Amino acid sequence: MTSKLNRTFAQLRQRGEKALITYVMAGDPSLQETEQLVVELEQAGADIIELGVPFSDPIADGPVIQQAAERALRSGTSVGTILSMVTSLRARTKIPLVLMAYYNSIHAFGPERFCQEAAQAGVDGLIVPDMPPDEAGPLKKPAAAAGLPLIFLLAPTSTEERRTFVARQSQGFVYYVSLTGITGAKLLNMADVGKNVEKIRKVTHVPVAVGFGVATPEDAANVAAIADGVIVGSAIVKLIAAHRQKPDMVKHVAEFVRSLKVAMRAVQPKTR
Amino acid sequence: MRDVDGLGSHLVSPVPPVLPTSLGHTNMRMVMSSVPNKQGRFGAYGGRYVPETLMPALLELEQEYSRVKKDRRFQSELAYYLKHYVGRPTSLYFAQRLTKRLGGAKIYLKREDLCHTGAHKINNAIGQGLLAQRMKKPRIIAETGAGQHGVATATVAAMFGLQCEIYMGTEDMQRQALNVFRMRLLGATVTGVDAGSRTLKDAISEAMRDWTTNIRTTHYILGSVLGAHPYPMMIRDFQAIIGRETRRQILAAEGRLPDCLIACVGGGSNAMGLFYAFIRDKKVKMVGVEAGGLGVASGKHAARFAGGKPGVLQGTMTYLLQGDDGQVNLTHSVSAGLDYAAIGPEHSYLRDQGRVEYTSVTDDEAMAAFDLLAREEGIMPALESAHAVAHTVKVAPTMKKNQLLVVNLSGRGDKDVQQIAKMRGIML
Ligand SMILES: Cc1ncc(COP(=O)(O)O)c(C=O)c1O
């Protein structure tokens, strides 16, 4: 299956660039602002956008994203309203959009209906942080039927056996969690990240993107030197939180994203 | 067949006792039930819905646990601590005055309140503490609602020399202040959790986040039959001693099996512990009692089977109190230990099978049962256990005088005395 994600990574590789993947919580502080953010972040250099689906009990997330989810829920965000926003976004941009949703949000909506409606709205991939491939059975068929890539995660604790098992099932890209911890923690060991990315590449041809703990242009540049994609989440969500009551919130966030992309472009890419 | 529960002197005995290969049954007729399967599924429920970071640890834990299940030395060490440290077997007490007062079935109380630290929670904490030592994890963490599991874990940590951190919702820290102080006296760090409903659910999420971060050095002692595989199975097994003892004790006292078992159900560990040894005795009726809070109709309750539907929370697929969009609902119960939005996956399975019946009682009914047991029997039950007593008050009179009813008195009420005084406007 060649998905839009595949094409995006291929085009970037031709240009000698790495993918900048930015995470925003859908509906934080409101869906109108999320929509505006997506458009502006693309202008600023984001190649793929991850949209968080807010959940009441996000076990993989640190306080920054937990609080963003609380704000999004208070603003009335639901799977249905997020998909409507995606539909309306599709009139304005083609940027690949990946939903990051906890499994219960999908289960409650109905896995089949979720995949169908997400694909129809223009979603290009799905990340479910509390659903390892071991539990993905009920989602695989409807996702495949809808042409929606399922992106799985690997972690520093993953054994060789799991690395092979997980990487080979991941579509679009493999999400390598850079650190043993939750979102928003501090990235510690770049050498380890590099080694693990290499190990993943030995078992799959799918691009590898690195997330969790990437917070500064310098981090982004370092990760860009070793991986195919750089995922920035909490740092962006934190900025949104800090400026959410100001009229120029989107501008602040776009500036930051631009600085990430500039730093990444300055890196001499190692070819695979 | 030799009885293994309650044997004590294994550590000094030159010849280790012959132990059965699976976590003890006293009776060859009783084989382990076939759930969960290898994926940790109890029918449609259970499983392992966790971030990848935790998967290797869960697989390791499962492996280690299946090893110790068959390991004689581990089992005799466990039996040793259960006898000499916890004080097992706990008695099965015939509640004569309560029986007379209710005027129906003969009521026996399984006295888990007599365990060291005051509740059944320590049966599991000892088992997992031994396991943590085996896995060479110097640090343990736990969540707690009522504080009983936190106290049990802090106790075991002190006894085994392990570092210990307990997560507790700030709302629960207030209503169970005494237990917070007890944990600190035992040398544990108690960390308040200010997210969401500030109760058990949020404490579990925070403990899972800690575990995800410190997985290499830390074992997470989950306190009920919840979470990802192998926890629901392993904790059931560690608690199953309650039912094995009860079975033996009732046979000794009455020469027959009980007609009905009653236990309260938070996550469901004391209930699974009591029920498990009787699952295959189809004539033994079993009732799980959930927290009805201010009444199921009010929406302020924790009766998962009354108001919930299947979903995934904190690692497992099970009945869950949730909105249409899958957001987890806030719950309410006078008892912190029952105040949780999900129920152990095996209970969901047993409910679908029709093997166990589930019901709920309100805060007020539980409070009245607390008073009744205190006055009639001189036993103050934990507010959690008072829910089981409250249901007993309803059903015992409808049963025949020669019928036998066993109520799991999962814990003692000392921890709740302050809260009860406050509710009655009394300053202590
Ligand atoms: C005395 C007592 N009983 C019951 C419970 C509920 O837990 P479970 O349903 O796992 O037995 C608790 C939990 O804190 C408790 O302290």
Side-chain angles (χ1 to χ4, degrees):
Chain A
M1 175 171 56
T2 49
S3 63
K4 191 145 91 187
L5 287 173
N6 296 141
R7 286 197 296 276
T8 299
F9 276 102
Q11 284 160 6
L12 285 165
R13 193 171 306 145
Q14 277 179 355
R15 297 208 302 264
E17 275 187 40
K18 299 304 178 68
L20 173 58
I21 305 171
T22 56
Y23 174 100
V24 293
M25 175 64 73
D28 170 36
S30 73
L31 279 172
Q32 289 85 328
E33 281 155 297
T34 303
E35 192 171 337
Q36 207 187 334
L37 275 165
V38 170
V39 172
E40 296 292 325
L41 296 196
E42 181 183 21
Q43 295 295 315
D47 300 299
I48 296 169
I49 295 199
E50 252 182 65
L51 290 173
V53 175
F55 180 53
S56 53
D57 299 84
I59 52 174
D61 288 303
V64 170
I65 292 183
Q66 281 174 52
Q67 284 155 21
E70 282 174 22
R71 286 192 298 272
L73 289 174
R74 259 182 279 150
S75 80
T77 312
S78 67
V79 170
T81 58
I82 292 171
L83 294 183
S84 305
M85 176 197 68
V86 171
T87 305
S88 108
L89 259 173
R90 279 302 172 226
R92 304 170 69 185
T93 169
K94 290 195 165 57
I95 190 168
L97 296 171
V98 173
L99 289 188
M100 183 146 177
Y102 283 85
Y103 188 63
N104 203 47
S105 303
I106 297 168
H107 181 77
F109 202 78
E112 247 168 64
R113 182 176 157 223
F114 187 95
C115 293
Q116 272 168 13
E117 295 190 13
Q120 228 160 46
V123 170
D124 300 295
L126 194 52
I127 303 171
V128 189
D130 61 344
M131 185 194 70
D134 318 56
E135 298 293 354
L139 204 54
K140 274 184 183 164
K141 241 196 204 157
L148 202 60
L150 285 183
I151 296 148
F152 292 110
L153 298 92
L154 277 167
T157 52
S158 301
T159 54
E160 198 180 321
E161 197 185 337
R162 285 206 63 81
R163 197 153 47 231
T164 309
F165 174 71
V166 175
R168 292 206 172 142
Q169 298 183 65
S170 198
Q171 302 162 329
F173 61 92
V174 173
Y175 191 134
Y176 178 67
V177 174
S178 71
L179 48 85
T180 308
I182 52 178
T183 57
K186 195 146 171 44
L187 213 173
L188 293 173
N189 196 329
M190 200 52 77
D192 265 7
V193 175
K195 264 186 249 159
N196 277 305
V197 169
E198 281 315 306
K199 285 184 193 163
I200 297 169
R201 287 194 163 143
K202 289 210 175 82
V203 295
T204 179
H205 295 294
V206 180
V208 182
V210 173
F212 282 42
V214 184
T216 64
E218 193 192 346
D219 292 341
N222 287 337
V223 172
I226 53 181
D228 306 302
V230 179
I231 305 169
V232 183
S234 293
I236 290 172
V237 174
K238 211 185 245 173
L239 261 183
I240 295 173
H243 295 280
R244 70 180 187 277
Q245 269 135 359
K246 301 176 197 156
D248 57 352
M249 179 273 284
V250 175
K251 208 180 102 219
H252 279 281
V253 181
E255 256 165 46
F256 176 63
V257 167
R258 192 165 295 117
S259 73
L260 294 171
K261 189 65 178 183
V262 166
M264 286 167 62
R265 279 190 177 126
V267 178
Q268 197 65 17
K270 277 193 228 159
T271 44
R272 284 176 73 165
Chain B
M1 173 106 203
R2 202 164 163 188
D3 182 358
V4 296
D5 306 329
L7 278 183
S9 46
H10 303 152
L11 292 188
V12 291
S13 158
V15 187
V18 182
L19 290 159
T21 49
S22 53
L23 232 200
H25 30 265
T26 55
N27 191 324
M28 283 307 277
R29 195 171 51 74
M30 242 194 70
V31 258
M32 300 288 283
S33 79
S34 52
V35 286
N37 69 8
K38 272 203 97 54
Q39 284 72 45
R41 288 278 170 179
F42 303 86
Y45 307 104
R48 268 184 294 237
Y49 294 87
V50 294
E52 176 61 25
T53 310
L54 293 179
M55 281 301 286
L58 288 170
L59 295 168
E60 181 201 348
L61 183 61
E62 183 192 355
Q63 228 172 33
E64 192 62 35
Y65 176 65
S66 63
R67 249 198 303 271
V68 302
K69 217 161 138 172
K70 301 184 192 118
D71 182 305
R72 287 180 184 186
R73 179 172 296 174
F74 182 91
Q75 292 301 332
S76 49
E77 242 183 294
L78 178 60
Y80 171 85
Y81 286 111
L82 288 177
K83 171 161 179 160
H84 294 287
Y85 192 72
V86 176
R88 304 204 71 91
T90 59
S91 74
L92 183 70
Y93 172 72
F94 172 46
Q96 198 171 356
R97 280 174 50 86
L98 184 66
T99 297
K100 208 166 156 193
R101 167 84 182 254
L102 296 178
K106 218 169 158 182
I107 301 165
Y108 280 88
L109 303 176
K110 180 56 174 166
R111 299 289 308 276
E112 292 300 298
D113 61 314
L114 296 177
C115 289
H116 178 42
T117 68
H120 69 292
K121 296 284 179 188
I122 192 140
N123 302 328
N124 166 52
I126 291 265
Q128 288 199 52
L130 283 169
L131 207 51
Q133 281 193 311
R134 284 248 167 160
M135 296 188 297
K136 303 204 162 39
K137 307 272 182 168
R139 177 172 178 264
I140 56 182
I141 56 170
E143 84 296 341
T144 197
Q148 285 305 118
H149 176 58
V151 168
T153 301
T155 298
V156 166
M159 197 250 298
F160 289 144
L162 302 167
Q163 198 191 329
C164 179
E165 182 160 359
I166 306 289
Y167 290 94
M168 190 168 188
T170 47
E171 156 89 15
D172 289 341
M173 285 178 80
Q174 241 174 34
R175 52 181 169 173
Q176 303 284 339
L178 185 67
N179 271 343
V180 174
F181 190 57
R182 287 171 80 198
M183 289 182 261
R184 287 180 173 147
L185 288 176
L186 289 160
T189 305
V190 181
T191 304
V193 180
D194 227 353
S197 54
R198 303 180 176 86
T199 59
L200 182 57
K201 169 172 78 75
D202 312 286
I204 294 179
S205 286
E206 208 49 40
M208 287 181 84
R209 293 183 186 113
D210 178 314
W211 200 35
T212 306
T213 307
N214 300 299
I215 195 137
R216 291 187 172 90
T217 59
T218 300
H219 174 65
Y220 176 19
I221 303 192
L222 189 57
S224 190
V225 287
L226 296 166
H229 182 60
Y231 281 103
M233 168 184 81
M234 176 174 74
I235 295 163
R236 171 197 73 195
D237 291 350
F238 283 138
Q239 292 292 0
I241 191 165
I242 300 173
R244 292 199 306 273
E245 285 176 5
T246 302
R247 192 184 171 91
R248 194 179 72 227
Q249 289 165 324
I250 196 83
L251 286 173
E254 298 280 352
R256 60 194 164 105
L257 293 177
D259 296 281
C260 183
L261 307 173
I262 298 178
C264 68
V265 186
S269 68
N270 85 89
M272 275 320 301
L274 176 65
F275 296 166
Y276 196 53
F278 298 93
I279 291 276
R280 301 197 167 219
D281 303 304
K282 293 279 147 55
K283 290 205 173 119
V284 179
K285 187 178 165 175
M286 305 178 179
V287 185
V289 186
E290 300 184 274
L294 304 182
V296 170
S298 74
K300 292 188 159 63
H301 63 88
R304 287 72 40 113
F305 288 135
K309 54 179 195 265
V312 169
L313 179 65
Q314 296 171 335
T316 194
M317 170 84 72
T318 191
Y319 272 78
L320 183 60
L321 289 167
Q322 56 183 323
D324 290 339
D325 208 29
Q327 307 300 342
V328 179
N329 287 349
L330 296 185
T331 52
H332 165 84
S333 170
V334 68
S335 113
L338 305 183
D339 199 352
Y340 181 63
I343 189 166
E346 192 163 8
H347 286 288
S348 293
Y349 172 75
L350 291 170
R351 191 240 194 187
D352 281 7
Q353 299 280 307
R355 180 63 191 95
V356 179
E357 180 189 315
Y358 294 86
T359 183
S360 63
V361 303
T362 63
D363 286 355
D364 288 347
E365 289 167 330
M367 294 300 297
F370 177 96
D371 285 332
L372 180 70
L373 200 67
R375 303 280 173 96
E376 292 292 332
E377 295 288 351
I379 298 171
M380 285 191 285
L383 286 180
E384 291 78 16
S385 325
H387 284 68
V389 178
H391 184 65
T392 305
V393 171
K394 293 183 190 174
V395 297
T398 70
M399 294 169 70
K400 296 198 194 84
K401 286 204 159 105
N402 62 356
Q403 288 190 298
L404 305 175
L405 203 132
V406 174
V407 184
N408 201 6
L409 213 69
S410 55
R412 66 177 184 229
D414 305 45
K415 70 180 173 64
D416 299 310
V417 166
Q418 259 184 337
Q419 187 196 351
I420 293 170
K422 204 167 142 195
M423 286 164 66
R424 293 179 183 171
I426 299 162
M427 285 284 288
L428 291 183

